Amino acid sequence: MSVLNQKMTNYRWTICALVFFATTINYIDRQVLGLLKSTLETSLNWSESDYSHVVMAFQLAYALGLLFVGRVIDKIGTKVGYFLSLLGWSLAAMVHGLAHNTFTFGAARAALGVTEAGNFPSANKTIAEWFPKKERALATGIYNSGANIGAIVAPLCVPWIALNWGWEWAFVLTGAIGLVWLIFWWFGYKTPADKLKEQKISQAEYDFIHSDKDDTPEKTEPETSGDAEKNSKISWGWLLKFRQTWSFFFGKFLTDPIWWFFLFWLPSFLEGENKSKILAAYPNGLPDGIILDDVLKELTNFQSLFSSTPLLDKIAVSGLIIWPIALAVAYTISTIGSVFGGWLPKYLINRGNAVYRARMTSMFLYALIPLTMLAAQYLGHINTWYTVIVIGMAMAAHQAWSANIFTTVSDMFPKRAVASVTGIGGMAGAAGGMLIAWAAGLLLDHYKALGTIETGYGIMFIICSLAYLLAWIIMKALVPKYKSITV
């Protein structure tokens, strides 16, 4: 069969599936802490600030990890780099089950952070190696939706494991899932060139993967040739000379913290909504024999949907929710945004729009959606589910935004610099996450002491709603027109 008539294989989507499952595992392991926040605060006597310090330990290690992990992955290759990263974070997640105070939890979170830092640089580099630019946003949106799937699965199983077997086993069992993925990755991943030699992909698919033609490149330094160019190192100092790097840096610094806030505080917020409604219905105390914490535990167990609950049947409170189910619904909504976020710019490109114009137009639309969070608490007074839907829409917008901001790196930088630039931006996002965790701890402790913690959450929602529009304005100001970087 001639190359011209050869049918194009689709092995690249198998690779995308592997990255999707790795990201799913990443977010299952990452979310366990937030789902057990109330349990751990009670068991370990944590304040909001204590909890925020544990969160910050993760984010500091994550940020520091991203300073070097991208360069390591660029050096040792995607296959080995991804393998070592996921092995490390699986073991670190399991070690949480041995931690029993703030310091040891912080140490376990730091170990998780530095190893999980390898996920997105590895994933982004994998997509750059296996997909042409026209498909990267869609592929990135699909693998990035793994974060949402992990966030959907986790609340449906982690609280149940903790209630029935103890919170320690919730960390151990979820951490062990990653060890299974390692087998599929090690035997399933190779470069397109290697897969072509093995006849796992056709010449047509290989040519399609390498079908990009650069737009007018921005020459940045005298050209080298042959092995000298291939082996030359790309330093952070060199990358930081370009506005494209700083555009990605500030885009991640301002918007990643919003996702971190949802990840670590949304479960507590939703549980707090239940508590507020119960206390409002019984200002003079619950009926004799009924303990508030026991009622809240029943509202944690999703099995309450399918069987009668002795305590809930004895109180008359409207608007209560099984918060793990509500959390799963919010993340389900966000999954739709992740996939749609990759589809829209592809649609605009196919309609004749330039890549950068399509990307930034899509991101502007996504930046407007989180503004609906300004009404989140008002809607919650009517029905908590309205708040869940609004927050779910904002999370969907974040995932759509994220699918495209990752792709701006592979659009404008050579493939061998993609992981390094992704690491720089990821480090910025983690640093922003530390700031929002610190602010949330202080703010919520302050208003909790005043008995009006909902005011603290209201302030946080205002910050979350405005961050994306500010990030888009800065990114557009730094890179008003598309320019690719060549080495």
Side-chain angles (χ1 to χ4, degrees), residues 188-201:
Y189 183 85
K190 288 185 179 179
T191 65
D194 288 335
K195 288 297 181 181
L196 179 63
K197 292 178 183 178
E198 294 178 354
Q199 298 184 335
K200 294 292 185 181
I201 67 172

Side-chain angles (χ1 to χ4, degrees), residues 202-276:
S202 64
Q203 184 67 48
E205 183 176 11
Y206 181 85
D207 291 341
F208 179 72
I209 292 169
H210 297 89
S211 62
D212 292 325
K213 293 182 179 180
D214 290 335
D215 295 338
T216 305
E218 176 184 342
K219 294 186 178 180
T220 59
E221 61 183 29
E223 294 183 359
T224 58
S225 60
D227 291 338
E229 180 176 1
K230 181 178 179 180
N231 296 324
S232 61
K233 294 183 179 180
I234 300 177
S235 68
W236 289 323
W238 185 79
L239 290 171
L240 292 174
K241 291 191 301 183
F242 301 103
R243 289 179 296 171
Q244 290 89 334
T245 304
W246 287 105
S247 172
F248 184 65
F249 179 98
F250 284 111
K252 295 287 283 181
F253 177 78
L254 290 169
T255 60
D256 273 16
I258 311 309
W259 187 260
W260 293 115
F261 176 73
F262 288 142
L263 191 69
F264 293 122
W265 268 275
L266 184 56
S268 179
F269 167 76
L270 293 175
E271 188 173 14
E273 288 291 285
N274 283 334
K275 184 176 181 179
S276 296

Side-chain angles (χ1 to χ4, degrees), residues 151-206:
I152 292 168
V153 172
L156 298 180
C157 62
V158 169
W160 185 89
I161 294 172
L163 284 171
N164 290 277
W165 296 341
W167 61 262
E168 295 90 346
W169 278 104
F171 286 105
V172 173
L173 294 178
T174 53
I177 297 173
L179 303 179
V180 178
W181 178 90
L182 295 174
I183 299 171
F184 291 94
W185 176 257
W186 189 256
F187 292 103
Y189 183 85
K190 288 185 179 179
T191 65
D194 288 335
K195 288 297 181 181
L196 179 63
K197 292 178 183 178
E198 294 178 354
Q199 298 184 335
K200 294 292 185 181
I201 67 172
S202 64
Q203 184 67 48
E205 183 176 11
Y206 181 85

Side-chain angles (χ1 to χ4, degrees), residues 57-80:
F58 171 89
Q59 291 166 323
L60 175 60
Y62 190 74
L64 294 175
L66 286 169
L67 282 174
F68 65 83
V69 71
R71 293 177 61 81
V72 171
I73 291 168
D74 280 336
K75 184 175 182 179
I76 67 177
T78 310
K79 181 174 183 175
V80 176

